[in-house]
Structures are given as structure tokens and as C-alpha cells.
Amino acid sequence: MEISFQDITYTYSTGTPFEHRALQNIHVQFNQGSYVAVIGKTGSGKSTLVQLLAGLLLPTSGVLQVGDTRIHSRSKKLGEYRKKVGVVFQYPEHQLFEETVAKDIAFGPKNLGCDVAEIEHRVVEAMSWVGLSPDLRDRSPFELSGGQMRRVAIAGVLAMRPDILILDEPTAGLDYLGQRDLLSILKRFHQHFGCTVVHVTHNMNEAAELAEQIVLMSDGKVISTGKPVEIFRNLPYLQVSGLDVPDVTKWIMSLNQNLSTPVSTEIYELSALADELIHRWRRGS
Amino acid sequence: MKHTKSLIELSGVWFDYHPDRQMKEQWALQDINLTIQSGEYVVVMGPNGSGKSTFARLLNGLFIPTEGEVRVGDFSTSDDLGQFHIRRKVGMVFQNPDNQIVATTVRDDVAFGLENLGVPREEMIPRIEQALEVVGLVGFENREPAHLSGGQKQRLAIAGVIAMNPDIIVFDESTSMLDPQGREEVRELMKELHQQGHTVIHITHSAQEAFLAERVIVIAHHRLQLDCPSKDLYNQSHLLEQWGLEVPLPIRLRALLKDQGLEINEPIGNSDEMVAQIWRYLSKT
Amino acid sequence: MNSVMIGQYIPIDSWLHRLDPRSKCIFVFCMLILIFFANNVESYALLLFIGLAGMVLSRISFLLFFRSMKLIIWMILFTTLFHLIFTQSGSAVLETPVLTIYEEGVRQAAILSVRFILLMTFASLLMFTTSPIDLTDGLESLLSPLRRWRFPVHEFAMMMSIALRFIPTLWAETDKIIKAQKARGADFESGNLYRRVMAYIPVLIPLMISSFRRAEDLATAMEARGYVGGVGRSKLRVLSIRRSDVLLLVCFAIVATALFWMRK
């Protein structure tokens, strides 16, 4: 399903002293099955953008076209549409409520109207996706560690097998290992099911490593969109938006200050950088 | 030379929430021995669930050691009178910015701690003003906490602590729930407080933050694993991986290069030194 | 949430805003009693005049007072109707084949309506011009004599103030959880009443759990900042009776005397 935001504006609390325009004339497109990262400072409109995409808010003006569905200011009955979209909110473990891990993961599939066998199948599958051991299924989610609770919550969304998966800062508050694990789970899930992923993040390393397309937002507007290289090449834009370049890029840039033939800043993975350096070293000696 | 007595002293400290129900090898903290001098800036690093937050709470008597003793100045946290004095000496800033603000306005919240100490009103007013000035929240006195950003909320919490004139300020993962901007604000403030002569103890799971301090303590698997000056950490940082902590990028790069035959053995104390080494190897032709 | 909530504090500056919350509380409380004490047209005219003067002094738009009246409009209509139909004394004012309306019924209906309006006016004046924290402080101070009978006045005030502090936080949290469960396919809009109530369980449980967690965190933070209860605490906020407060109470005394004198 192709996603296209057509001249979308969103205003909170219209007609009150608290009126606030969160999004202004947004035009942006995501390809079916791509991994999109939305970056920008707090308050840049990232969260509003994905809540519109999730069908949780309606645009004040403009149209959001998702496949055959058109969403506009007077759209009704978005329940069916929402079933196609999964959302992992910030700190998703705060929405767990069931007595057992398995029941909580089953909540989404049950709402989709899956039958008992299908629900069971999806629960087992989702638990294995997120790396939860099967013997945790009858435990209360509230007895688990923070990292495990996060996995249960994410499994609950993955079990819905969404066509569009929205992730709002999924790694917030996790430690380094927890972050690495989660990102690789999400990457594999995306590759396996081919769903469109829209990943909101402050972390430029995450964006560079995972995304095929990056949307840079500032002050309720889309400042720029394109491949990671195209975004991170444009330092002034980033700095105006209060953002930074990925660590690898930063490091390559400081190395390049001393090199006559600079290393490409299109490298975002450390192993690729190592390969490039080894290559140069062998050629040199 | 004048003999300086250490400010904080943990000797043979063991702790668990339910010591009677757990095997001693599984206690939350095991056999911690260390001293911290007045005016130090220490980072305590560890993965989630390692016991580092428990450690923080032992420092001001929120938790009392099951075995061993924690002494702050001339007092022990194990006796009631000691606790009373220690609470004044050791200020603490917590993780969740929302859950540590008590009052409905900025000014009233800074006042809260002073009111608890029974500070007379005439003395309270200048101290509140001063604390707000240090954290840069002058002009926000009548603001409601709900209308502050995450970084501002944490700065408010810090103001509440420094108004009480503590010698030691413990930051218990105070940066982990903030966006990059808020994190930067709080880090800057820590540095400033240290320069003003406070003893700063910063608990974190971020390896990047470890290099901001003078001394790094690693707590993993419920035990103290490493205690060294932060400039020495860089060279030992390959160790961090085994405790589930992030290894700095240049050290990871060095390991990758070594796998492919390029061995850099010179000690590296920071990112720039790694850049210089790589450059040396690449231009050795 | 778009409009100003009924009874919400309106943060502007006026003579009424600057008054000590205690004198406002006492004044309004006594006025509420006087409203039931008055029993003739002149007294009500006087009370209405005072209410009107309060509105002007508060510098708050009449529209907001009018809006808070909407809350009691049904009560007024109901009691009016009740008296018109069922009160059967005095001479008949209107005779129709189905219903006869008596003079006393009209009188009672009018009195009750005016009483309701007056009650709402004075209550709104207090709520609109006194910030929740001032109100809490005022109540704590007024209730402090109850300490002698072991009533936990300080704890009560602290609880109220913490509740006020966390309302916006919990409100935002509720909104977030509702959205999260909606995104998981929860349906809050269809089905019968029972189903709709049950649909909120996935919202209420996380909300309760997070409130407990917040309470625990807050208790730890308060302890770390040296809180050991009300004993030995000083206070930043001091309430001071000023000339205008005395003036208010003098006004009240005059009004009360006048009402006694007018009472028939």
C-alpha cells in the first residue's frame, strides 16, 4: 500500500486560546514495503504525523491516501482501517493489562476477529519473533523485567501482522544490548513480512542503519526527505532542525580532515567502514 | 600531606529486598567496597537490572545495607539520626521527570525540600531564586510542571535538590528518559555543578556518558566489576561488551580491523587518537 | 476539553483574585447560608446586587458565569415545574382545564430559581478567582483547628495538592493508553452499555498500574527530599489578611445585618 500525505495540516484545540498548529501543509510519500525513519526534535510534529497515519487523528485539512483508503477531516469508521496499522507507542509496556503474557499478545488478534486456532498460532509466532521463551506465556507480564515487558508489548502489535507498522521511539529507555536486540528483531520482521515500517526516532544511528527513506521534520513541516545519504549530506539542514549526523558519519568526517582522498560518508555500518579502511591499507602497502 | 577523609565509604555492602528468600549469590548487590572523595565526578555504569539503581539508593539511606555499612561523612545510613543528616547531605535526582515533581508550580516545587527542612521563609526565597538561576529556569516560577519539557522538568528536579545545599548529588539515570536536547541540558548542568564543588555521582547505562566523568565504576551482575579513571577506560573498553555495555565506536572499529589483519596496538585514549592512528597507517606508503 | 471547564480557575489579576483565600472561603460559605435565610424580594435584590458586583470586581467575562449556569439549568427548570404543578396554596393565578397554577407556586418557583442562581454565582466566583493551590492552602489553614481532634489536616492538604499536580499528567496518560488500545483494535464506540464499559478495562488497568508506579516513585522522591510529614515544616506560601480582606468581611457584616433587618 502506497502512503501519500497530500497537503495535510493538523491543528490541536481549534478555536481555543490553546490552539496549536502541529502540522502544516505536509506533502510526503512512502513506498509500499519501505522502511521509513521520521526524525526531528521533540515538538517537530513527528508524533502527530504518525498518529494521523495510524488513523487515531483526523487531518484538519488535506487528504491522507493509504492504498484505496482516503482519510480526510470528515472521515468516519476508521476501525477497519486501523486493523491494518500496528502502532508501537513510546514505552509500550505501559499498555499491558492482561493476566498472562499470552492473553495480552492475543488481545490484538482477537479484536481482528481471528479464530482460536489462528490466535494461538499468532501468539506463539509473535513470542518467538521477539525472543520470548515459550514458558513465559502463562506468567503475568507485570512480573517480568522492563526489557521483557517491552518485548511482550511489541509482540502484541506484531501478532496483528500489520501492513503498516509504526514505531514511536521503540528503543527509548533500553540499555545498549536491549536496543541492539530490538532493532535487529524489527529489521528481520520488516524483511520477512515486507510491511511498510514508519519508525520515529531521535537517534540518527538508528535512522541511518535501518531506513531506506528518511523524513526530516522541523516546526510542523517536512524539511527534507530522501535516502539517508541525501539527508545526512545536508549538515546545515540538520543543524537548523537541532539534529546531528550519525556517529559513524561524524567519525568519518574527522578522519577525512586528514585524508587527501576522503572516505565516502555514505557508509553507515561500522563493518563496511572497516572493509573500506582495510582496502585502502592493502592498496597502500 | 594532609590526610583527607573520604566522603562516602561503602564497606562490605550486601543488599537484597528479600534477603531471607534469596540465595546470597542472587542478592541485588554483592560485596561492594569503595570510597568516594569530596569533589569527585563519578559515573556508575551498568546494564539494566545490574543493581546500579539499588546502589544509588544505598547512598542516601533510601535502602539500608543488609550487610556491611554505608558511611557518608561522619554518619552511617544504618542509624536513624545518621539518616536524617545524610538526607541533607546527599541530594538525589531520579529517572522519571514526571514522578518527582510534587507541587503545582515551579517555585513551590523548589520550596518543597526547604519546607521539609524547616528553613525559615525569609531564607527560602533567596535560595529558591538562586537554585532556579543555576538551572536556568528564572522566569518559569509560576509555570505548572505539565507545561515544561522533559529537560526542563529534570532541571526543576535538580533545582529542588540544589536549593537544599547538598554536598553530594546523585543522578539516578536522570538522562535516560530525555530527548537528545534534554539530555545535553542535564549533562551540562552536571558538569557545572561539579565545577562548583559538588560531588557528582551519575548512574547511567550509556557508555558515552562515562567519558564525561573523571572516574568510572562498572556494576554488572550485581557486583562491582571495574573502578578506574575514565581516561583508562577507553583502552579497557573491549571489556564493556561482556557486561552488555556499549563499546565506543573507535574501539569497535579497532577490533574489526584487527580481525582483518590490521593491528593497532598503540594505546588510544579518545576518538581523536584513533583518527590519528588510522591516518598514520593509511599514509604509511 | 476544548472549552474552559466549569469551575476552572481563570488566571487573571483582579481585586477578588488578590484576596486571601481564607476570607473568600468564609465569605462565600456564609453567603451560601444567607441565601437560604433571605425570604423577601428586597433581600434577594440585595444578594443579586452583591453577586453582580462580585462579577464586575472579578474582571471575568459574564459569558463564563453564564456558561456555569448551564450546569444547573435543568435543576432550575425541574424545581420550577414541580412547584408550579404541586404547590396549591394562595389564590389561583392561571386556570386551565388541566392545571391550575397558584400564587404560592409561582412565588416558591421564583425563590428557588433565584437561590440556585445565587449559589452558582458565589461558588463560581470562588472557583474562578482562587487558584487550586491557594484554595488548598486556605482550607488547610481554616481546618487547622481540627488538628486538636486528630484530624490529619496537613496530610489532607498535601493529598489534595498532589492530586491537583497529577491531573494533567494522568489525563495525558489516559489519552495515550486509549490510543494505544485503539491501535490494537479495541472498540470503544459500538455495542451495548455493558460492552462499552468492559471495553474500558484495557485502559483502566494500565492506568491504575501506572498510577501506583507513579505514587511509589513520588513517595521515594519525597522521602529523598527529606519529607517526614507535617511536623517541623516551614511554609513558603504565607496567607496574610490584608486591608481588602478586612473590607470584605466588614461588607459581609453590613449585608448580614441588613438582611436580618429586612427579614419578615
Side-chain angles (χ1 to χ4, degrees), chain A residues 124-148:
Chain A
V124 170
E125 191 190 62
M127 284 183 72
S128 95
W129 266 110
V130 299
L132 283 172
S133 137
D135 43 291
L136 290 178
R137 60 170 296 145
D138 294 321
R139 289 270 293 279
S140 159
F142 305 107
E143 290 169 3
L144 306 179
S145 73
Q148 282 174 318

Side-chain angles (χ1 to χ4, degrees), chain B residues 162-210:
Chain B
I162 57 182
M164 296 170 74
N165 277 337
D167 298 334
I168 304 156
I169 305 177
V170 181
F171 292 87
D172 184 8
E173 298 203 57
S174 312
T175 55
S176 76
M177 289 181 78
L178 301 179
D179 63 5
Q181 196 190 354
R183 218 171 282 165
E184 197 47 46
E185 288 170 16
V186 172
R187 286 176 190 163
E188 278 299 313
L189 207 48
M190 282 181 198
K191 205 165 85 188
E192 210 179 303
L193 291 171
H194 173 236
Q195 280 161 359
Q196 287 174 4
H198 288 100
T199 307
V200 174
I201 301 174
H202 176 27
I203 318 276
T204 178
H205 59 238
S206 154
Q208 289 166 354
E209 291 184 342

Side-chain angles (χ1 to χ4, degrees), chain C residues 196-213:
Chain C
R196 283 192 205 193
V197 171
M198 293 310 275
Y200 275 94
I201 286 182
V203 176
L204 292 177
I205 292 178
L207 197 62
M208 261 169 58
I209 288 170
S210 102
S211 305
F212 282 133
R213 195 187 54 240

